[in-house]
Amino acid sequence: MRTHTSAGALPAREHLPAVEPGAPVTPVLDVVIPVHNEEKDLEACVVRLREYLTRTFPYAFRITVADNASTDRTPEIARRLGHVMAEVTSVRLEQKGRGRALRAVWERSDAPVLAYMDVDLSTDLKALLPLVAPLISGHSDLAIGSRLAGGSRVVRGPKREFVSRTYNLILRSSLAARFSDAQCGFKAIRADVAERLLPMVEDTGWFFDTEMLVLAERAGLRIHEVPVDWVDDPDSTVRIVRTAVDDLKGVWRVGRALAVGALPLDRLARPFGDDPRDRTIGGVPGGLARQLVGFCVVGALSTLAYLALYSVFRAGVGPQAANALALLVSAVANTAANRRLTFGVRGRERAVRHQAQGLVVFGIGLALTSGSLAALDAAASAGSPSHGTELAVLVAANLAATVLRFLLFRAWVFPDRRTDHPAPGNEKAVR
C-alpha cells in the first residue's frame, strides 16, 4: 500500500472564497471524463455537459477528457473539442485504468473541487450542483451519487441491480463501509483532501474510487451522498465478472492494510475544534465526552470477553490463574481497541510501546482483581466461595480498575499530543 503523504493534519474546512471582480478566473470545478474507445459518445457527452454547466453552474469550470490509451478516434475528438471550446481540455494516457486517469488529472489540477462522471451520462446532470455544493461550502470532504439512497430513481436490469447490491453488502460486511453506493460513476472531492488521500490509494482501475471512499471514511472524513436519477447504458463495455474479481482482490488488500494499521490515516484528520464534538465544554477537557463513550463501549465488550474467558479457564485451573490468563488476553485486545477507536491513534508508530504501557495498566488491574479474590477467599470461613460470588466480586473490582485504566490511558498511554504542536492559526482552539 502507498504510505507517502505530506506531513501534518488537514486544515479546517472553509467555504471557497468568491471570485473578486477583475481577478484572474480559475476554475472552481474540474469535471473529469475518463474514456477508452468512446468515439461514439464522447462529443455528445461533452457538448451536453458544457451546455448544462454554462447555463446552471455559478462558478468557473473546466471539463477534462482523460483518454485511457484509446485506439480509435477518441483522442482526435478530444483534442478537437479542446480547440473549439475554451472550457474543455484533454489529457492522453498510454495506459488503461480509470483510477490512473483520475489520479493523473486530479493531482495536477488547479481547481479546488474535483469531480468525475462516466461518459454515458447515465446520471441525470441535475444532481451535479447538489454533488459539489457541500464541497464548495466547506460542509463535506467528498461527495458521491447514490443509486441506492432514498429518493433515487433507477432504471436498470436485474443482473446489474443484483451485482451492485451484492458488492455494497460485501463492503459493509467486510470493511464496515457506511456509504450506500461505491460504484456509481458520479463523485467529487475537495482538492486539499485529494492531495493527502490519493497517495494512499493503490488501485488504478475500477476499484480506485471504492478504495478512496473506504480510506476517507476510516479517516473520519465527511462523505456527502446525493440521491440520483440513473438510467443504465445497455452498451456499457464494463466486464462485470473481471471487474468483480478485481474488486474482491481490492477488498482483501485494503482490509488487510487497515487491520495491521499500515496506512497513516491520522494525516487526514481535521484539526482540533473543526469537529463540534471536540469543542471545549465548560469544565470538561476537549474530547473527553467522546473518549468516555468509546472507552465504555470497548470496556463493556472487554468485560464480557474477560468473563467468558475466565469461565473457560476456570474449568481447568484455579481462580488466580484463570483470572490472570483471562485478564491478559482481554487486556491486549482492550489496549488495541482503545488505541484505535477511543483515542484515534492509527498506524504502527509507538504500537509496541502502547502495548507495553497497556500491560503495566493490566498489572494494576491484575493486582486489584487478584487482591479481591484473595480477600474473598480469606473471608470465606467455611469452604470455597461459589462461582457466582467470585464473578460478582470480580465485576466490582473491574469497575474500580476500569476508572483507573481510563485515567492512565488518557494521561499516560495515549496523551493528547495535539496540545504540544497546535496547528497554525488554530492555537486558540487548543486548551
Side-chain angles (χ1 to χ4, degrees), residues 191-210:
D192 57 346
V193 176
E195 181 183 5
R196 302 288 182 85
L197 180 56
L198 295 187
M200 299 185 194
V201 180
E202 183 174 327
D203 192 81
T204 59
W206 292 98
F207 187 69
F208 171 86
D209 40 357
T210 298

Side-chain angles (χ1 to χ4, degrees), residues 260-261 298 333-352 354-355 409 413-414:
V260 300
V298 172
N334 181 279
T335 299
N338 275 305
R339 181 178 188 269
R340 184 179 184 88
L341 302 177
T342 304
F343 298 97
V345 180
R346 296 178 173 87
R348 299 179 179 179
E349 186 179 1
R350 297 175 179 262
V352 175
H354 290 156
Q355 279 294 349
F409 272 173
V413 184
F414 308 112

Side-chain angles (χ1 to χ4, degrees), residues 174-177 213-221 258-259 265 340 346:
S174 61
L175 297 179
L213 289 173
V214 170
L215 298 185
E217 189 173 72
R218 287 297 186 94
L221 299 181
L258 292 172
L265 298 180
R340 184 179 184 88
R346 296 178 173 87

Side-chain angles (χ1 to χ4, degrees), residues 29-273:
L29 173 65
D30 195 345
V31 183
V32 182
I33 304 176
V35 291
H36 174 73
N37 291 343
E38 296 287 355
E39 62 180 5
K40 177 182 176 182
D41 298 326
L42 178 58
E43 183 168 358
C45 165
V46 172
V47 170
R48 179 182 168 194
L49 176 60
R50 174 180 176 270
E51 189 277 332
Y52 182 83
L53 288 171
T54 301
R55 180 166 49 86
T56 65
F57 194 66
Y59 298 92
F61 64 87
R62 179 191 299 126
I63 300 172
T64 303
V65 179
D67 173 43
N68 290 225
S70 293
T71 56
D72 62 1
R73 295 180 54 250
T74 297
E76 175 188 340
I77 296 172
R79 286 192 297 269
R80 177 168 57 81
L81 292 171
H83 288 317
V84 300
M85 300 179 185
E87 303 90 349
V88 178
T89 186
S90 64
V91 174
R92 166 74 176 181
L93 288 85
E94 298 302 329
Q95 293 177 290
K96 290 178 62 177
R98 181 176 68 175
R100 180 179 287 108
L102 294 177
R103 184 194 304 277
V105 177
W106 284 356
E107 286 184 338
R108 71 182 192 181
S109 178
D110 58 351
V113 176
L114 311 168
Y116 92 88
M117 62 179 61
D118 292 335
V119 68
D120 57 18
L121 294 185
S122 294
T123 304
D124 190 342
L125 291 178
K126 292 186 180 68
L128 183 55
L129 186 55
L131 183 81
V132 301
L135 309 187
I136 294 174
S137 70
H139 175 271
S140 301
D141 298 294
L142 299 92
I144 65 173
S146 175
R147 298 161 296 185
L148 303 178
S152 297
R153 295 182 294 180
V154 177
V155 178
R156 61 177 167 182
K159 182 171 70 172
R160 286 185 174 272
E161 181 76 12
F162 175 78
V163 170
S164 180
R165 291 187 178 275
T166 300
Y167 180 60
N168 283 282
L169 179 62
I170 291 173
L171 292 180
R172 288 175 177 269
S173 59
S174 61
L175 297 179
R178 295 189 298 274
F179 48 85
S180 65
D181 190 352
Q183 294 177 311
C184 183
F186 195 70
K187 296 181 175 69
I189 183 173
R190 285 178 63 103
D192 57 346
V193 176
E195 181 183 5
R196 302 288 182 85
L197 180 56
L198 295 187
M200 299 185 194
V201 180
E202 183 174 327
D203 192 81
T204 59
W206 292 98
F207 187 69
F208 171 86
D209 40 357
T210 298
E211 184 172 354
M212 178 180 69
L213 289 173
V214 170
L215 298 185
E217 189 173 72
R218 287 297 186 94
L221 299 181
R222 180 176 291 162
I223 301 174
H224 178 72
E225 293 198 12
V226 179
V228 297
D229 296 342
W230 193 87
V231 179
D232 191 12
D233 177 13
D235 298 324
S236 175
T237 58
V238 178
R239 299 178 180 177
I240 296 179
V241 175
R242 180 177 177 180
T243 301
V245 172
D246 291 341
D247 286 347
L248 291 176
K249 291 179 180 178
V251 169
W252 168 257
R253 173 176 52 79
V254 172
R256 182 176 57 185
L258 292 172
V260 300
L263 293 167
L265 298 180
D266 56 312
R267 297 180 186 178
L268 294 171
R270 288 296 181 183
F272 182 82

